[in-house]
Amino acid sequence: MTATAPTLRGRIYALLRYSDPTPAARQLRVAHLIVLGIGLLAVILLSLDEFAKDYRHLLRGIIWTVTFIFFAEYLMRLWVAPEAPRYDQETPLKARLRWAGSLPGLINLLAVMPAFMFAGGYTITGADAASVFCILWILKVGLHAPAFSTLARVVSNERAPIASVLILFAILLMMAATAAHMLERVRQPEQFGSLPGAMWWAVVTLTTTGYGDVVPLTAGGRIVGSMLMIAGIAVLALMTGVLATGFAQEERRREYLRVWEQVARVPLFASLGVVTLSEIVGKLRTRYYPQRITVVRRGDAGDSMFFISSGEVEVRLPNGGSVRLGEGAFFGEMALLERQPRTASVATTKPTTLLVLYASDFYEIASHIPKLAEAVEIEAKRRREENLERQTSGRR
Ligand code: CMP
């Protein structure tokens, strides 16, 4: 198979992907969010009658501009839909239809509804229907949040414990509602006379919301209420624990895949076997740095070293000179090897992705994989000598 250059449609598809890590795609996403924020602000301000009077025309102008930008975006996304790998078995028309019917497709369609209303002759006045459609723009923010897909996976992975907690919730709810119904129905027939009425009180109490609109008055009812409140805290804590661990596990898995993709670009790791590599990958973390950000400051304590998976950094040496390190190089090893403060400051010259290895993991890996430790030590020695030489020649 020969690699072919990406077509214009392919390039636009890559740029519009919500998860594309390239700087151009990131800038586009920031611009998109700014447009979205301006649009939402205009809709909110338009609903303030006293404010809207003087600026009504301006606000409407903004809303229409934003709507048409979204309309253009919708058409663009529809056009590039056949580029999505998941539709590569489909005809272009079918791919577009499938994208239009998908969740992102529907959310993007809802965002352009005001444009259709405009075309149909509706106007925006205050908080009317069209403004309500504009508020649907907020759904587009969700498309930018990678955590949404993570949330879906967490719920799917943890469905058994989540179901257990929900069942526990239902059991407690039914038992407490029945007990309160039996104990309170004579004194408060209106509130506790029926099971649904008692269940409303049980939900409010179990979730520890406690509106105070329905309160048990008998001693027995109060004992049930107290126990239910304590059980409520326990059930919520249980659910929080299940979701928090699920999120942490999912994030660890994703980070592992991200690192695995990047690690191939570092020659130091290229010669290692899969088993050794997988041990290292589990300990590395990816960090994205924009241009001109200081990653390491001279004199600071060193708690990690870095491998450059893409981009470039500049090492500002103590004698005033500088060295540039590109893809595949590493830095920050000297402080770890010598257990001394950082010898130089290092800043990015381009948007850069680094793989971070914390000191404790570095020492552990160095003891397991002598080949790797040796390669790092040789380079550190060379750098130390180079710096010494530069310093002495500077003094001369
Ligand atoms: P460390 O001292 O931990 O922090 C600064 C880093 O800059 C240092 O580790 C090296 O990784 C790097 N560095 C220092 N001197 C040089 C050099 N002469 N060439 C390349 N990199 C260097």
Side-chain angles (χ1 to χ4, degrees), residues 123-325:
T123 53
I124 286 189
T125 45
D128 65 7
S131 296
V132 172
F133 275 117
C134 292
I135 287 298
L136 291 173
W137 289 342
I138 197 75
L139 292 176
K140 278 174 82 92
V141 182
L143 296 174
H144 286 271
F148 269 124
S149 62
T150 315
L151 181 69
R153 282 208 52 180
V154 169
V155 172
S156 156
N157 291 347
E158 305 293 321
R159 56 189 180 279
I162 290 175
S164 309
V165 177
L166 290 178
I167 290 169
L168 183 64
F169 188 91
I171 292 172
L172 284 170
L173 185 81
M174 282 313 294
M175 278 171 52
T178 313
H181 170 63
M182 309 280 278
L183 293 163
E184 294 284 328
R185 67 179 163 186
V186 179
R187 283 207 47 192
Q188 302 186 74
E190 223 170 88
Q191 287 90 343
F192 288 94
S194 69
L195 259 184
M199 277 165 72
W200 163 249
W201 164 81
V203 170
V204 169
T205 312
L206 190 56
T207 54
T208 70
T209 308
Y211 287 129
D213 57 341
V214 191
V215 182
L217 296 178
T218 64
R222 287 188 171 165
I223 291 171
V224 171
S226 310
M227 289 192 318
L228 195 57
M229 280 182 257
I230 294 166
I233 293 172
V235 170
L236 292 182
L238 218 57
M239 188 60 109
T240 313
V242 168
L243 289 177
T245 10
F247 258 105
Q249 274 170 0
E250 183 60 22
E251 189 45 42
R252 218 171 301 140
R253 268 181 231 130
R254 283 181 181 227
E255 181 68 1
Y256 191 88
L257 288 181
R258 269 198 293 267
V259 174
W260 195 259
E261 274 170 21
Q262 313 270 344
V263 96
R265 302 191 193 159
V266 180
L268 199 61
F269 300 134
S271 61
L272 301 174
V274 178
V275 178
T276 319
L277 200 56
S278 68
E279 190 191 339
I280 297 177
V281 167
K283 300 202 177 339
L284 291 167
R285 299 281 171 271
T286 49
R287 291 272 181 287
Y288 173 78
Y289 290 87
Q291 203 176 358
R292 286 195 291 275
I293 297 289
T294 303
V295 183
V296 154
R297 225 175 277 278
R298 191 177 164 217
D300 280 359
D303 63 350
S304 47
M305 71 171 290
F306 305 85
F307 299 88
I308 306 171
S309 81
S310 70
E312 188 190 62
V313 299
E314 186 181 57
V315 182
R316 293 174 192 147
L317 299 169
N319 63 352
S322 69
V323 178
R324 290 200 171 199
L325 300 175

Side-chain angles (χ1 to χ4, degrees), residues 296 315 317 323 331-335 342-344 346 383 386-387:
V296 154
V315 182
L317 299 169
V323 178
F331 62 92
E333 78 294 348
M334 288 164 85
R342 300 282 189 203
T343 53
V346 182
R383 288 175 178 177
E386 185 188 322
N387 293 356

Side-chain angles (χ1 to χ4, degrees), residues 35 43 57 66 73-74 104 108 150 157 189 192 212 216 223 234 271 383:
V35 169
V43 174
H57 287 300
V66 172
E73 183 201 340
Y74 183 77
N108 276 297
T150 315
N157 291 347
F192 288 94
I223 291 171
S271 61
R383 288 175 178 177

